[in-house]
Amino acid sequence: MEIVVCVKQVPDTTEVKIDPATNTLIRQGVPSIVNPFDKNAVEAALQLKEKHGGKVTVISMGPPQAAEALKECLAMGADEAVLISDRAFGGADTLATSYTLAAAVKKLGQVDMIICGKQAIDGDTAQVGPEMAEHLMMAQVTCVSKIEVTGQTVRVEREHEEGYEIIEAQVPVLLTVLKSINEPRYPTVKGTMKANRKQIPVWTAGDMTVNPEQLGLKGSPTQVRRIFTPPQRVQGEIIQAGSAREAAAALTKKLLDAKII
């Protein structure tokens, strides 16, 4: 099977900072990680390769430092990696991002399956995977928690609030996976050394068949008008009293005064 996995390098969520002037995330000096859902996607692809054979190619759209995320995926066991990086892609929303990634998939050639994480933890839109499928006119199933392949048929469990759906599709197909699908493996020492020696190709807009008007900010129908960090919640009051009865009485009085009870 020829499997493509889309991954994204995201800021560590414990270190998110926002530039109030540009309404964008401050990435300089902020630790970056592979999007956790995308690690599950890589693991799912590797398990399918181990069972059915084939090749796993990992792609990512981002700045040059996103190559580190791709190297981690190579260390896990992916066969090839491609970085999609160009200033023309800057400011892309989910539609422009999915368009660019779809163009990269077309350049790769024959693909049986595309696997994406359900969503990226920095945007939480869960839109890029399904939009890629639309650009590629490919069948798609989201929120997948189990994958089985028999010949050209892909049978998956799709998780939702009320249970599971069993869905079958023919390849080529795009799947977005949940964290519950597996436990991602750790990169091995041997794999890490091999990944560090591997030269990751970088594709720019000129390397793919794309319409410049659909890239980056130009191709983004949605724009962020304002983004901010919510104010820190005021901590609750600790009532000091000589006994539990006195504390309960004081609490009751405060609730009555505030007209809560």
Side-chain angles (χ1 to χ4, degrees), residues 94-95 98-99 102 114 116-119 125-143 158 174-177:
T94 58
L95 184 64
S98 61
Y99 172 77
I114 302 171
C116 307
K118 180 175 78 89
Q119 63 195 59
T125 64
Q127 293 174 351
V128 172
E131 287 175 352
M132 281 184 66
E134 289 297 311
H135 288 303
L136 295 167
M137 300 183 68
M138 185 180 292
Q140 60 169 297
V141 186
T142 60
C143 301
R158 182 179 186 272
L174 183 146
L175 309 175
T176 71
V177 300

Side-chain angles (χ1 to χ4, degrees), residues 45-232:
L46 294 176
Q47 290 181 13
L48 288 171
K49 185 187 78 166
E50 291 165 355
K51 188 173 182 179
H52 302 283
K55 183 173 72 173
V56 174
T57 301
V58 184
I59 65 174
S60 181
M61 187 183 99
Q65 59 263 33
E68 294 303 314
L70 291 172
K71 286 185 177 181
E72 184 173 346
C73 297
L74 289 170
M76 289 175 65
D79 300 291
E80 301 291 339
V82 178
L83 176 61
I84 318 301
S85 186
D86 193 317
R87 285 191 173 274
F89 305 146
D93 68 356
T94 58
L95 184 64
T97 297
S98 61
Y99 172 77
T100 306
L101 289 171
V105 171
K106 290 178 182 177
K107 180 177 171 65
L108 287 171
Q110 176 64 34
V111 173
D112 296 305
M113 185 181 296
I114 302 171
I115 308 180
C116 307
K118 180 175 78 89
Q119 63 195 59
I121 60 173
D122 60 346
D124 286 332
T125 64
Q127 293 174 351
V128 172
E131 287 175 352
M132 281 184 66
E134 289 297 311
H135 288 303
L136 295 167
M137 300 183 68
M138 185 180 292
Q140 60 169 297
V141 186
T142 60
C143 301
V144 171
S145 58
K146 185 177 180 180
I147 306 171
E148 294 179 355
V149 177
T150 305
Q152 300 296 302
T153 301
V154 180
R155 181 184 177 93
V156 303
E157 283 188 4
R158 182 179 186 272
E159 186 176 320
H160 56 82
E161 293 178 355
E162 298 180 357
Y164 296 88
E165 295 174 333
I166 306 299
I167 299 176
E168 288 188 354
Q170 299 297 306
V171 298
V173 63
L174 183 146
L175 309 175
T176 71
V177 300
L178 302 173
K179 292 180 70 65
S180 60
I181 192 171
N182 55 44
E183 186 68 32
R185 67 192 69 184
Y186 289 102
T188 63
V189 174
K190 183 179 179 181
T192 301
M193 293 175 64
K194 184 179 179 181
N196 287 334
R197 291 194 300 266
K198 197 171 186 67
Q199 196 72 21
I200 296 177
V202 180
W203 292 353
T204 64
D207 297 315
M208 301 181 292
T209 303
V210 292
N211 178 355
E213 296 299 315
Q214 292 181 261
L215 302 176
L217 198 58
K218 284 185 178 180
S220 300
T222 58
Q223 296 182 20
V224 178
R225 297 296 298 271
R226 181 170 176 255
I227 187 170
F228 61 92
T229 304
Q232 186 175 5

